[in-house]
Amino acid sequence: MIPAQFDYVAPASLDDAVALLRAHDGEAKILSGGQSLIPMLKLRLATPALLVDINRIPGLAYVEERDDDGGGLHIGALAREADVDASPLVRARYPILHDTVRVIADPLVRTQATVCGNVAHGDPANDHPATMIALDAHFIVKGPGTVRVIPARQFFVGLFTTALAPDEIVTEIVVPRPAPRSGGAYLKLERKVGDFATAAVAVQLTLDDTGGVERAGIGLTNVGGTPIAATAAESFLLHKPLDDETVAQAARLAALAAEPTEDRRGSAEYKRDVVRVLAARALRIAARRARGETHDVPNATAAGGA
């Protein structure tokens, strides 16, 4: 397919980019990596009057840890998936993010796709949203004369719909620095390498001195109209040891939070069971990482028993 006609501008600053969005009143789209937007243009699922290419704006391609506001990982609007993949800091301190990046599409896509674009697209099948929910990340959003901070759990409001206004841009993702004895994991079942998930689960845990759960974050991918926070499972885990019974019940509660529909990837019942299996596996991996035992994640393309 050939995209519909559109105008193209490459502004030199974020202020200029925001002004262009405002002037076109919902008829403009931001182009960063373009790995989601360009296919939609070709299929005419998106027909913007203007593309605002932000790739020439300096200072937005960073993946770095800072000590301000309690400390955390800052990912700029032009940081590519490949930048996160290659970061020793991410691998060592934020392994759940490394898990997530490694199962997104293929290496060619990851050299162009941006992390901020992945979340701003609002696709429940994208991988980062569930991970950002599990991590309690927040998004820095710039609009005309304003900067907003939107928690990941409040950002995804509907299918391909986010809390962004038409004249706002996600300029940065901030992931809180994990507390001591923290660990996470992202596991995904896909029909083939590079595919969207049949279902996927993100888990981030912090353990207390006795091995009980001090904090739990659980996000689900592609089993509803938005990425889902499995809040009942999170609450159930608090102050409990991660024994087999606790893990199994938390995994069942995570599966109950899923709202899948039947499609070529499977029935709704099957997808819920995939969530259950992956949640149990991810909880065990996250716990091992929190205890400093391992950073390895097994291949999740075949969901056997929990």
Side-chain angles (χ1 to χ4, degrees):
M1 294 284 291
I2 298 174
Q5 184 174 343
F6 57 84
D7 292 326
Y8 170 90
V9 180
S13 71
L14 278 172
D15 286 337
D16 289 345
V18 169
L20 286 164
L21 293 179
R22 188 174 191 183
H24 284 78
D25 193 24
E27 294 299 317
K29 289 284 188 184
I30 292 293
L31 176 66
S32 53
Q35 299 305 294
S36 295
L37 178 59
I38 289 175
M40 293 185 71
L41 293 175
K42 289 182 176 180
L43 294 171
R44 301 203 178 191
L45 297 174
T47 55
L50 175 70
L51 284 190
V52 181
D53 186 345
I54 64 172
N55 282 280
R56 298 182 191 178
I57 299 176
L60 296 178
Y62 52 84
V63 180
E64 60 190 27
E65 201 168 41
R66 301 176 190 166
D67 292 328
D68 53 332
D69 297 325
L73 184 71
H74 294 246
I75 302 172
L78 293 179
R80 312 293 169 174
E81 302 287 358
D83 298 329
V84 176
D85 185 16
S87 168
L89 170 67
V90 170
R91 294 186 185 207
R93 293 178 63 86
Y94 305 85
I96 185 175
L97 275 175
H98 187 250
D99 295 349
T100 307
V101 168
R102 296 293 291 176
V103 295
I104 291 174
D106 55 54
L108 290 176
V109 168
R110 294 196 292 269
T111 62
Q112 296 299 315
T114 63
V115 182
C116 286
N118 187 280
V119 299
H121 190 51
D123 186 346
N126 278 355
D127 294 290
H128 280 298
T131 294
M132 297 304 170
I133 285 172
L135 287 165
D136 274 341
H138 57 270
F139 308 142
I140 309 301
V141 173
K142 182 173 177 57
T146 65
V147 175
R148 293 200 293 152
V149 178
I150 306 177
R153 292 180 180 232
Q154 299 173 18
F155 187 76
F156 307 100
V157 298
L159 185 64
F160 290 98
T161 306
T162 70
L164 280 177
D167 55 3
E168 290 182 320
I169 302 172
V170 177
T171 62
E172 184 177 80
I173 296 170
V174 181
V175 177
R177 180 176 293 160
R181 297 179 297 278
S182 292
Y186 183 75
L187 294 180
K188 173 179 177 178
L189 177 68
E190 51 194 352
R191 294 177 299 177
K192 58 183 177 61
V193 173
D195 192 13
F196 287 116
T198 298
V201 177
V203 171
Q204 180 73 13
L205 299 175
T206 300
L207 305 182
D208 61 26
D209 291 337
T210 67
V213 177
E214 183 175 299
R215 181 211 170 261
I218 303 175
L220 311 180
T221 297
N222 211 21
V223 285
T226 65
I228 293 171
T231 54
E234 294 169 344
S235 297
F236 170 78
L237 285 165
L238 292 180
H239 313 302
K240 292 183 176 67
L242 280 172
D243 55 29
D244 288 345
E245 182 178 348
T246 298
V247 168
Q249 178 60 15
R252 285 192 289 269
L253 289 170
L256 288 174
E259 301 173 352
T261 57
E262 183 172 351
D263 59 20
R264 288 179 294 177
R265 291 181 173 86
S267 67
E269 181 182 7
Y270 169 70
K271 292 179 183 181
R272 284 194 188 92
D273 204 46
V274 170
V275 169
R276 180 189 63 80
V277 171
L278 295 184
R281 292 182 181 180
L283 281 164
R284 293 188 178 104
I285 294 167
R288 289 199 296 270
R289 285 174 163 174
R291 293 191 290 263
E293 295 175 11
T294 180
H295 285 298
D296 295 333
V297 173
N299 185 353
T301 55

